[in-house]
Amino acid sequence: MDSGGSTDMTLAFELDALKALADPNAVFNNARQWTEYVGVVSEKPTYVVTNFTRKHRVRQDFFSGPRGVEESLENISQQFDTDRHVFVGVDEEDEAVADATGWEFLHVEDAAEAAGWTLATGEAAAEPAEEQSRDDWP
């Protein structure tokens, strides 16, 4: 993905968009070459995002925490003052949230094609039910 030579961009992935990618860690490492900040937002509970990012060794600059996606994007754009704010999502609902918060929207398939990322296929795209367990819980 070419940002026109500028790295002054904040890139946020909706958790389902990140799950649609074969190697989330490689995607984040690649994105760091042409973005200033990269992270994950989701309506899911914080531990679900944390478990996924730990499992895939994704180091994020921000995450939504207990907030919803819309509030998270609003807060992130205030905290990370970059020229561009791009939200990678999976559906029309994600696109509507991007529009409502002033973020550019990119469908995960379009982002993957532009950046040369590999989409997960078949069972790799579906996260196992272990998401329900709390392996980060004492």
Side-chain angles (χ1 to χ4, degrees):
M1 179 177 296
D2 182 15
S3 62
S6 171
T7 61
D8 197 21
M9 179 189 337
T10 301
L11 184 65
F13 286 87
E14 205 290 326
L15 181 60
D16 287 337
L18 198 55
K19 287 179 177 183
L21 297 163
D23 189 348
N25 182 38
V27 167
F28 265 57
N29 289 338
N30 173 261
R32 287 188 189 288
Q33 296 174 33
W34 42 265
T35 62
E36 191 70 30
Y37 306 104
V38 61
V40 181
V41 294
S42 178
E43 296 286 341
K44 304 256 189 225
T46 303
Y47 77 89
V48 173
V49 176
T50 302
N51 285 348
F52 181 85
T53 56
R54 280 185 189 161
K55 177 180 176 183
H56 294 279
R57 302 180 191 272
V58 171
R59 185 179 58 85
Q60 53 190 335
D61 297 316
F62 58 82
F63 67 99
S64 54
R67 297 180 193 94
V69 172
E70 186 167 347
E71 184 181 353
S72 294
L73 292 178
E74 289 170 349
N75 288 337
I76 292 163
S77 62
Q78 291 172 4
Q79 291 177 9
F80 299 97
D81 186 26
T82 55
D83 289 342
R84 294 177 66 200
H85 292 89
V86 179
F87 179 47
V88 178
V90 295
D91 56 26
E92 290 176 4
E93 184 177 321
D94 291 342
E95 187 171 6
V97 169
D99 288 344
T101 57
W103 284 61
E104 296 174 45
F105 177 77
L106 209 60
H107 194 281
V108 66
E109 291 169 352
D110 296 332
E113 183 177 335
W117 301 329
T118 304
L119 292 169
T121 57
E123 291 183 23
E127 192 65 21
E130 70 186 51
E131 243 181 37
Q132 302 302 319
S133 70
R134 301 271 310 245
D135 64 4
D136 65 334
W137 202 253

